[in-house]
Amino acid sequence: KAGVTQTPRYLIKTRGQQVTLSCSPISGHRSVSWYQQTPGQGLQFLFEYFSETQRNKGNFPGRFSGRQFSNSRSEMNVSTLELGDSALYLCASSARTANYGYTFGSGTRLTVV
Amino acid sequence: EDQVTQSPEALRLQEGESSSLNCSYTVSGLRGLFWYRQDPGKGPEFLFTLYSAGEEKEKERLKATLTKKESFLHITAPKPEDSATYLCAVQDSGNTPLVFGKGTRLSVIA
């Protein structure tokens, strides 16, 4: 059974640019969550999508956005990149049934220079 | 607001020296408490989910326990390959996202 796939694994962008990250969840999982991980703040919740609808949103500026497609694949976009956006971006998928868990991908390491 | 505090921040053990990691939490109503292991440069790897006070789960050298206010991850006779950051997360009774602690960085020295 394939796990959660995130692409690309590494990305270097210049301040002011925009970036799009992709996440393919485990087959059959309809919920996809995104987290930002930095050494100082740990894992911070960005947003969650379920059946193409945003279910929850974290406390991040509007430069961070996401969407989910009908096949449950998800993308997140960050516009007007800032140096502080450098982080590991993690995607997690879940079946969202009773007694479910969240499976994480390996993440995308974004460096803004 | 849901909160999770993990202690200690870092722990250094000799191989075979058993110890426990702590996760204290505050939620309005607990749906689940999750433990993950994370190796450098990788995503968190799921270990356990605990749902109610008194519940215990085991996997190899790891045992997780849950009370109404905290969870412990007991590591028995650790090996160097157990070195990683261990993360605790909680989810309350609504359709809310996981809230993570900042983790405990465990180093096991041979």
Side-chain angles (χ1 to χ4, degrees), chain A residues 53-105:
Chain A
T53 301
Q54 188 178 87
R55 172 171 285 185
N56 288 297
K57 188 177 191 305
N59 189 26
F60 278 81
R63 300 185 297 107
F64 292 81
S65 62
R67 59 178 175 170
Q68 186 179 33
F69 302 95
S70 58
N71 62 358
S72 293
R73 190 178 71 85
S74 177
E75 289 181 347
M76 68 163 282
N77 183 276
V78 188
S79 63
T80 319
L81 284 166
E82 300 177 359
L83 297 178
D85 296 333
S86 295
L88 180 66
Y89 289 88
L90 292 161
C91 163
S93 79
S94 170
R96 274 288 192 171
T97 57
N99 298 346
Y100 57 87
Y102 290 81
T103 303
F104 282 83

